[in-house]
Amino acid sequence: MNDTDTSSSTGPATALVLLHGFPLDHRMWDDLTGSLATDLQVLAPDLPGLGRAAVPDGEPSVDRSADEVATLVEAAGHERVVVAGLSMGGYVALALAERHPGLVAGLALVDTKSTADEEPARANRERVADEVESSGSVEAVLGMVASLLSDESVRERPDLPGVVTGWIREQQPAGIAWSQRAMAARPDRSDVLADVDGPVVVVVGEDDTITPLAVAQHMVSTARDAELVTVPGAGHLSALEAPGPVAAALDRLLWRAAEATPQSPETP
Ligand code: MLT
C-alpha cells in the first residue's frame, strides 16, 4: 500500500490497529483488547524484529515498520483504520499517519512523544544495540522494567514486573538492536499531528516518568482535533497497567472517528 492508494479514502474505519511498545510485543494489548466495547476487528501485530516478527534486512527505521503495518492492514481488507500506538508504537503510528495518510481515520498516542531523540539518547540507543548484539543477550534492556511501571501498579499487580521481564527475555537480541536503531533514526513528527484527517486522543499514565504529562500536552497542542486522557495511578505502560480506562479512551476515539465520517452508520 502507498500514499496514492489510500489518500482518497474517506470511508469509515473498519478496524482498530494496536501497535506495541519496546521491547515488547502484541501480548501487552491482551487485557485491553478484552475490555474494548467495539465490534470492529482488532489487529495487534508484532512490529518488525519483536515477538514473532522477523528482523528485517536493511536500514533500521520506523518508516519500514509503518510500511509493514500498512501492508498488513491492506492484506486484511481495510482501507481506513483507527490506530493506537504505545511509546515506540506511537512513533510507528505517527510514521504511518505521515506516509499513509488516507489509511488513518483516527489516532491514539499512548505514553509516547512526537519529537526526535536528543543526541545523548541516540548515542545510548546505539550503545545498547551494540551491547545486545555483541553479547547475544537481552540483559542490557532488562533494567528498564522498573521505569515502565508505576509504584501503584506494582503494589496492585505484584506479578507485573515478572510478566514484563518474561516477555523481554523472549525477544531476539537482533530485534532489540534493530528497534533501538530504528527509534534512534526517527525524525521529529510533531507537525504530522496537525494533518491527521480524523480525531486524536493523547493518553498518558499519571505516573509516566519516561513520557510525562508535559510531553502529552505538547502533542495535544500541536494536533488539530485532540483530547487528553490522563490515567490515574498508571506509569509508562498504561495500556497494560490500566487496560479498562485506556480501552474506554479508545472506544471513545472510535466513536469520534465514526462521527467524523460522512458515511458513518448511526452511533450512540
Ligand atoms: C517504549 O516503551 O516503547 C520505549 O520507552 C520507547 C523508547 O525507548 O523511546
Side-chain angles (χ1 to χ4, degrees):
M1 185 175 290
N2 58 39
D3 296 358
T4 318
D5 292 329
T6 55
S7 59
S8 59
S9 305
T10 55
T14 52
L16 171 65
V17 179
L18 304 175
L19 303 177
H20 62 80
F22 169 89
L24 308 175
D25 57 44
H26 73 278
R27 287 174 289 182
M28 61 148 281
W29 296 111
D30 285 352
D31 289 349
L32 176 138
T33 305
S35 301
L36 285 167
T38 183
D39 52 10
L40 294 187
Q41 184 179 14
V42 177
L43 301 172
D46 287 333
L47 291 169
L50 296 167
R52 290 187 294 260
V55 183
D57 294 329
E59 206 55 38
S61 124
V62 296
D63 294 6
R64 165 72 185 261
S65 303
D67 292 349
E68 287 202 10
V69 171
T71 301
L72 179 139
V73 165
E74 182 189 46
H78 302 289
E79 289 189 357
R80 294 269 286 169
V81 292
V82 169
V83 182
L86 183 140
S87 200
M88 181 183 72
Y91 311 156
V92 176
L94 284 167
L96 189 70
E98 182 178 83
R99 296 169 67 78
H100 305 273
L103 195 62
V104 178
L107 190 59
L109 295 169
V110 186
D111 299 294
T112 189
K113 59 187 171 197
S114 56
T115 50
D117 285 346
E118 302 285 346
E119 193 42 48
R122 210 172 275 151
N124 190 52
R125 289 196 197 277
E126 290 299 337
R127 184 189 61 71
V128 172
D130 290 347
E131 194 174 328
V132 290
E133 237 169 24
S134 61
S135 65
S137 153
V138 302
E139 208 65 33
V141 289
L142 289 178
M144 68 188 283
V145 172
S147 60
L148 297 175
L149 304 166
S150 73
D151 291 347
E152 187 173 329
S153 295
V154 175
R155 254 194 321 274
E156 283 178 12
R157 290 263 328 258
D159 61 312
L160 267 187
V163 168
V164 174
T165 301
W167 289 341
I168 297 174
R169 283 197 185 281
E170 290 174 26
Q171 306 301 332
Q172 307 172 65
I176 293 209
W178 192 93
S179 305
Q180 282 284 31
R181 295 191 176 114
M183 289 190 283
R186 78 188 193 283
D188 187 323
R189 287 203 156 101
S190 301
D191 57 349
V192 172
L193 281 163
D195 292 331
V196 174
D197 183 20
V200 172
V201 64
V202 177
V203 180
V204 61
E206 181 183 50
D207 299 327
D208 182 350
T209 55
I210 297 177
T211 45
L213 179 60
V215 169
Q217 285 167 330
H218 165 73
M219 290 190 288
V220 171
S221 71
T222 56
R224 187 151 47 95
D225 176 19
E227 291 185 354
L228 177 67
V229 173
T230 306
V231 186
H236 188 60
L237 296 184
S238 65
L240 177 70
E241 299 170 64
V246 179
L250 299 188
D251 280 326
R252 174 162 167 77
L253 177 70
L254 288 162
W255 179 80
R256 287 167 66 209
E259 282 282 282
T261 305
Q263 303 93 318
S264 67
E266 295 244 324
T267 48

